[in-house]
Amino acid sequence: MSHLTHDECMTLLAGIQAAQPGDWTHDLTTILDGPARFVARVVIPDGLEVVYFRHPDVAGAWPAANWDRFAVARVPQQVEQMTLF
């Protein structure tokens, strides 16, 4: 797991905010509602494990324990393959 400095955390958040929303990997059920895209799980300078993510409205960072509890992983959609004759 990566250990980031404060400046690296701020750079990561700015990059997440600049990225386009979409490619959702989770659904948030508490604190924020709606879809989210997992970006990174890191350890910040004070030793706390944090998950960085993209939400349609914001770039966010939650303690990993909250992410594990309140972010529900989406099931990948199966794409039906067409058979050519």
Side-chain angles (χ1 to χ4, degrees), residues 3 5 8-9 16-18 22 30-31 37-38 41-42 46-47 51-52 68 70 72 74 76 81 83:
H3 291 261
T5 66
E8 291 170 327
C9 292
I16 294 168
Q17 185 64 39
T30 304
I31 303 172
R37 179 177 62 237
F38 172 86
R41 183 182 285 250
V42 302
D46 67 358
V51 171
Y52 288 87
D68 294 340
F70 299 123
V72 179
R74 287 187 167 193
Q81 184 175 354
T83 304

Side-chain angles (χ1 to χ4, degrees), residues 42-58:
V42 302
V43 176
I44 60 175
D46 67 358
L48 182 67
E49 190 176 334
V50 175
V51 171
Y52 288 87
F53 62 94
R54 180 70 162 101
H55 183 268
D57 300 325
V58 298

